[in-house]
Amino acid sequence: MKVVAFNSSPRPDGNTAYMIEQVFEELHKEGIETEMINIGQELLWGCQACGKCSQNKNMRCSIGSDMMNTYVEKMVSADGIIIGSPVYFAGLNAQAKALIDRAGYVIRANGNPLKRRVGVSLAAVRRAGALPTLDMINHFFLASDMYLVGSSYWNFAFGRLEGEAADDEEGMRTMQNLGMNMAHLMKKLKIDN
């Protein structure tokens, strides 16, 4: 089993990455392979509403000048997906939005291959906006017919400067529980399939 995580923070070693690593630690304990993809410094185009993914049905976005098609391939090959975003102006950042918009259209236009996979959203937040950020990411998972994983609290931690999220004890417990819950669900689904 494999989980691919998309870190949309422009700080590849920042709070969002640290939170994903906390989830990964629990997944590794259960023998689940993980991969983190840092998209926060990528120039990702937003969806252009061209409809080519629906016309071509080739599991590709027509915008070929960025890494989006590689990211869609990574999603389709994984059993679980994590999307982590820092909170910008009370919502998810532009890279996370481009990822869920474009990948979402491609996935839905091509028979919804993420159906019954496991999805986890998480947000690094300074003060406010974590819940709208999680909500937007969860809409992608729900529209992709995926199972959402929750934890002992909402999937966010507080921290502005790099490393500050580690000081949020409840946030770190939430990430650990999130990893345990994700591993548990993935193993149960594997048995049933």
Side-chain angles (χ1 to χ4, degrees):
M1 287 184 286
K2 181 171 182 180
V3 169
V4 63
F6 295 90
N7 172 17
S8 70
S9 173
R11 297 176 181 155
D13 297 317
N15 291 317
T16 307
Y18 185 79
M19 293 162 61
I20 292 170
E21 289 293 346
Q22 298 308 298
V23 176
F24 278 3
E25 279 187 31
E26 300 303 323
L27 296 173
H28 293 159
K29 290 176 186 175
E30 298 297 325
I32 296 171
E33 183 184 346
T34 61
E35 178 182 7
M36 185 172 341
I37 301 171
N38 291 304
I39 65 171
Q41 295 180 346
E42 299 288 326
L43 297 174
L44 299 177
W45 287 94
C47 180
Q48 303 298 299
C50 67
K52 296 254 193 294
C53 56
S54 293
Q55 293 169 10
N56 297 336
K57 300 213 180 290
N58 61 357
M59 197 62 79
R60 301 190 64 76
C61 177
S62 65
I63 302 170
S65 58
D66 60 19
M67 295 292 292
M68 189 62 67
N69 288 318
T70 300
Y71 300 155
V72 170
E73 290 170 10
K74 293 281 190 180
M75 286 182 179
V76 171
S77 69
D79 302 292
I81 299 167
I82 298 171
I83 298 176
S85 177
V87 175
Y88 287 4
F89 289 89
L92 72 168
N93 72 354
Q95 287 84 355
K97 183 65 171 145
L99 178 72
I100 63 176
D101 284 352
R102 286 177 53 206
Y105 274 110
V106 170
I107 295 298
R108 291 178 56 79
N110 286 276
N112 218 0
L114 300 184
K115 185 175 186 167
R116 297 194 180 109
R117 310 266 175 106
V118 175
V120 162
S121 61
L122 58 86
V125 60
R126 181 188 72 83
R127 193 150 186 89
L131 295 181
T133 300
L134 298 175
D135 191 42
M136 289 296 299
I137 297 169
N138 287 341
H139 286 148
F140 165 74
F141 293 138
L142 292 170
S144 299
D145 212 0
M146 295 174 66
Y147 298 116
L148 296 180
V149 179
S151 185
S152 49
Y153 198 68
W154 289 277
N155 304 341
F156 66 84
F158 289 104
R160 183 178 69 87
L161 299 176
E162 196 169 298
E164 283 184 347
D167 296 331
D168 180 357
E169 291 180 28
E170 184 177 14
M172 293 305 99
R173 275 194 312 277
T174 300
M175 294 305 113
Q176 290 165 346
N177 289 333
L178 186 58
M180 287 187 275
N181 290 347
M182 186 177 201
H184 178 81
L185 181 58
M186 288 176 67
K187 287 187 166 204
K188 289 290 187 187
L189 292 172
K190 195 69 169 176
I191 292 168
D192 293 341
N193 287 331

